Amino acid sequence: MRTAARQIAWSALAMLFACLCAAPASAFVVRTTGTGAEIMWSAPSETYFVNPAGGPAGSVSAVTAAFESWTDVSTSSFAFLLGGTTTSDATGLRDGVNLVSFGSLESGSIAVTFTWYDTVTGKIADSDIRLNTNFSWSADGAPGSMDVQNIVTHESGHSLSLEDLYDSTDSEKTMYGFSSSGETEKRSLDPDDIAGITHLYPVPDVAITLSSPNGGEAWEQGSSHDILWIVSGDAGPTVRIELLKGGIVNGTIASSAQNNGSFAWNVSPFQTVGTDYRIRVASTSNGSVFDVSDGNLSIVSPPPPPPVVLTGLSISGPTSVPEGSTAPYTATASFNNGSTSPVTPVWSVSPTTFASIDAAGVFSTLAVPSDQAVTVSASYTFGGVTENASQSVTITDVAATLTGLAIAGPASVNETGSVQYAATASWSDGSTSSVTPSWNVSLGTYASIDAAGVFSTLAVPSDQSVTVSATYTFGGVTETAQQGVTIVDVPQQEDLDGDGVPDTEEMGPEGTDNTYDGNRDGLPDGQQDNVASLHTFDGGHYVTLESTGRLGDVMALGLPGDAPSDIAFPYGIFSFVVDIPAPSAPAVMRILLDGISVDTYYKFGGEPGDPVPHWYEFLFEDLTQTGAEFTGLFEITLHLVDGGRGDDDLSANGTIVDQGGPGMVQTLPPPPTVELTSGGGGGCAVAGGPHGGSFRESPGARGIPILVFVLLAIRGRWRKRM
């Protein structure tokens, strides 16, 4: 209910701000916090990733060109860097990854920009752009479609913290708040747009000017060259030198080089050939002081070496192979430069009566009546030259018989467990091999074993002895092996305080502290029948429950499939029983969480007047004096009454039964019910979060949405719609 009221308040702000937007034309407008601080990036550059799924062909190049329009402003120190493509669709999340993606938007907006910032300092932490796939898109300004570069140039201005302009005299500017299909006007920055980014990110008095390479050079793979730059002012003792390709950081040449104006770079012989490289030199102590090559550097291949000619071929492998076995053969080529190299030739064997060889050189033999001679051959072609090699091989006749059988596996297995047993056969030639025997177990009262040797046990009243047997037959010879196995009776874990949680579970998150005191009352939780500490069902969190009465049957449960879909349950749910002094008496339960703040509590059970178990929100109400109160940042207090609201058995019997868990309301803004037009007036909505508050989202709305800029505050979430 409080969330809904907050949404209405922002809607009222949207109507008011729509009137305020009809102000005289401005050169540029910078977004500010409620404290008057300008919202802006603190770093001199930010990296964006592009998810082109759902967009037109050429989307990545169009997005890159849009960002470069702002990066190329010579009077600004800020640079957008393209980090490449991604399959992530985490738009609007404060995950530290700046993302441009395509997807359906519930509003009629062409695009939306989401930005997280600190409401006190104005420092931006994350900015994502979503292009609405309910519109047709192109990367070449085609009529009837929205142009990707045009719209992203505008939206990336929002990422810089520049506001929309709505006066008709602003219509030629990139930050003009309206657009239409086929328009490409916003691709090029207006002088007022340039003044905006220059105001936010001016070039400092200290400067680094890169002089070489500065465009037009062609450096070979494996060559060495000097990177040269000029420093004015105090830019610090060291610089970071990076290689850019297509505007994206391709690699770091030097992370901390002396800022003396020169660095010798050895180009990797494996550096990808390309014509779109540039060098960036930046101060390591002041990242806003940097320079990038004015033009592209080419990385080219060195002249080709003299041609290599195949001069010979040799075979390596055994000269004799037993029947019914395999052996590897390899081939080595010789070349005119004196080098040799392993190669994959065309293999063959002759005759093929008792042997074959595959493309990888694995030689396989069949059983032979007596020793047989064959020839293994290899043929390899390189540069139009073919070389052949051959080797004589004897297939030896081997007579072996089964002489023994052994079982491998544990001598003891816990009750209700399973383990793998294996069998190994011994042969007259001294060899051994794994075999699949016939398995059996006796007595079979508490155990069984399947054909694959998987031994499974049932619960036992005490330790039980059984025998695992294996029988294997080969060539008319049968061998049998046996192994004694003890099925171990595993004792139940102790629960001395009787709250349903084993004592070892109450020894803290690591299970090693027998004095663990989750409710900080000076007594170990494992010794108090009204306190229980335990992990959540998924093992990801550790919580403490404290009651005014004795606890019992405390359990952490997974989230049922029918739980409310609009509620997130980060701790899963819990069930417990509280014994109270007298029937119909109240009880108080405190739940201490370990780091995630929640804002609601849901229970599953019956209510007075509606006894059929169901999910319902259990917040405190004055009438019944029952429900959940959020008495601390990570603390919930439940007020329960035996037989009343919150007691699942609805019986005044001296026992309160509870099943539920803390949650977070997940509310999405309702879609605007407006008709989309290509022109007309518009407005903006600003919703500033409270100073020092936690992260929240407050949706806003406006008259005719065309382009959207959303700021999500680090201390109070903030949204603007256009």
Side-chain angles (χ1 to χ4, degrees), residues 584-589 608 618-629 637-642 644-647 656:
S584 301
V588 177
M589 166 71 71
F618 188 60
L619 298 180
F620 186 80
E621 58 180 28
D622 291 331
L623 180 63
T624 62
Q625 292 292 297
T626 61
E629 290 185 304
T637 299
L638 302 181
H639 297 274
L640 308 167
V641 173
D642 183 27
R645 179 172 175 260
D647 184 0
I656 295 176

Side-chain angles (χ1 to χ4, degrees), residues 16-33:
L16 174 61
F17 202 69
C19 299
L20 297 178
C21 283
S26 300
F28 59 87
V29 178
V30 175
R31 177 69 60 193
T32 60
T33 68

